[in-house]
């Protein structure tokens, strides 16, 4: 029995009843706009996920570079502030400068040191967040690719092919007809053997 795996309407009918077919020969071509639209939407979704994944990876690399640049600038400022603080500490000990001037450089040095620690902590948080997003996007992308592969198989089933070789004894649909998934649309007879059905008198 020749059954439709997917539903749709008949766009092309390549063979009629009475034709001899080989396994895999194309008999009908169906069209299903819903399946095609779902496939296109899922394919677009996949490309969006790929773009988001690449953008997230790029942002992670950019953030690492930005942190190195920030830390380099902070280290320079910290070293200057440290030198000022150590110099003023000696001057303050010798009572050459006021406590206010000493405290000012001390606070500046401590503030920059604390800022450096905050920058590192913030970058660590951003990196962990980006890595989590990358893993989630990779998982979603893998599932989307799997679904897309299954949808491709469904679209391939719109091409109705002979499951076996034999005689296409009948095709019960015409171009433009709408058929449902699982609907019987024809029959292929196996020519390797025949069956005969007869009425036998009970006497025999």
């Amino acid at each position: 029995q020749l059954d439709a795996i997917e539903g749709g309407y008949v766009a092309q009918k390549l063979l009629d009843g009475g034709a001899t077919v080989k396994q895999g020969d194309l008999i009908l071509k169906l069209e299903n706009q819903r399946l095609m639209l779902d496939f296109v939407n899922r394919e677009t979704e996949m490309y969006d996920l790929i773009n988001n994944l690449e953008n997230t990876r790029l942002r992670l690399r950019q953030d690492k570079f930005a942190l190195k640049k920030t830390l380099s600038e902070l280290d320079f400022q910290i070293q200057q502030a440290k030198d000022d603080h150590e110099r003023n500490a000696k001057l303050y000990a010798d009572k050459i400068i006021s406590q206010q001037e000493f405290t000012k450089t001390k606070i500046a040095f401590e503030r920059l040191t604390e800022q450096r620690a905050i920058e590192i902590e913030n970058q660590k948080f951003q990196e962990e967040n980006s890595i989590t997003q990358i893993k989630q996007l990779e998982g979603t992308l893998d599932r989307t690719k799997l679904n897309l592969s299954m949808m491709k198989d469904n679209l391939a089933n719109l091409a109705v092919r002979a499951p076996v070789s034999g005689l296409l004894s009948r095709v019960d649909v015409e171009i433009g007809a709408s058929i449902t998934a699982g609907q019987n649309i024809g029959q292929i007879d196996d020519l390797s053997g025949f069956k005969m059905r007869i009425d036998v008198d009970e006497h025999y």
Side-chain angles (χ1 to χ4, degrees):
Q1 297 300 316
L2 187 62
D3 298 333
I5 299 176
E6 288 292 337
Y9 71 90
V10 181
Q12 281 184 281
K13 182 178 180 182
L14 288 88
L15 297 174
D16 283 308
T20 300
V21 295
K22 293 181 180 178
Q23 185 177 1
D25 284 353
L26 185 60
I27 300 172
L28 296 175
K29 281 188 178 180
L30 307 179
E31 288 192 8
N32 187 315
Q33 296 298 327
R34 180 186 58 79
L35 277 181
M36 182 59 70
L37 183 61
D38 288 346
F39 176 80
V40 171
N41 288 338
R42 189 56 57 91
E43 192 174 43
T44 302
E45 179 183 335
M46 182 187 70
Y47 290 131
D48 287 341
L49 285 169
I50 291 173
N51 287 335
N52 289 338
L53 184 58
E54 290 303 315
N55 288 337
T56 304
R57 286 173 175 162
L58 177 62
R59 186 171 66 249
L60 180 59
R61 291 193 295 269
Q62 289 174 334
D63 288 345
K64 287 182 178 180
F65 177 76
L67 176 65
K68 287 182 180 179
K69 185 177 179 181
T70 300
L71 291 182
S72 177
E73 294 174 354
L74 279 173
D75 287 341
F76 176 74
Q77 295 174 19
I78 288 171
Q79 187 59 49
Q80 285 186 320
K82 182 181 178 182
D83 292 342
D84 291 343
H85 172 58
E86 290 175 348
R87 182 173 59 254
N88 282 356
K90 292 177 182 178
L91 294 175
Y92 177 68
D94 295 336
K95 298 183 179 181
I96 297 176
I97 61 173
S98 65
Q99 182 178 0
Q100 183 180 3
E101 289 184 63
F102 166 72
T103 303
K104 183 179 179 181
T105 54
K106 180 176 181 291
I107 291 174
F109 172 64
E110 291 175 348
R111 183 178 63 83
L112 286 170
T113 304
E114 183 180 359
Q115 184 178 344
R116 188 183 193 281
I118 291 173
E119 285 290 341
I120 292 175
E121 188 66 25
N122 179 60
Q123 175 61 23
K124 182 181 178 182
F125 171 77
Q126 295 292 345
E127 183 174 345
E128 289 175 351
N129 186 49
S130 294
I131 290 173
T132 300
Q133 287 183 0
I134 287 172
K135 289 181 179 179
Q136 290 175 342
L137 286 169
E138 286 175 340
T140 305
L141 183 59
D142 288 340
R143 290 190 297 273
T144 302
K145 285 181 177 178
L146 179 61
N147 289 338
L148 199 61
S149 177
M150 295 172 64
M151 293 178 75
K152 281 184 179 179
D153 292 339
N154 292 339
L155 287 173
N157 288 329
L158 291 175
V160 181
R161 299 180 180 276
V164 294
S165 300
L167 177 67
L168 182 63
S169 58
R170 62 181 177 84
V171 181
D172 298 334
V173 294
E174 298 298 333
I175 293 176
S178 178
I179 61 176
T180 58
Q183 179 178 333
N184 180 263
I185 55 177
Q187 179 177 310
I188 298 176
D189 296 331
D190 183 1
L191 299 180
S192 62
F194 294 92
K195 291 181 179 179
M196 182 179 292
R197 185 174 298 171
I198 62 171
D199 292 327
V200 181
D201 188 279
E202 64 181 6
H203 175 74
Y204 298 99

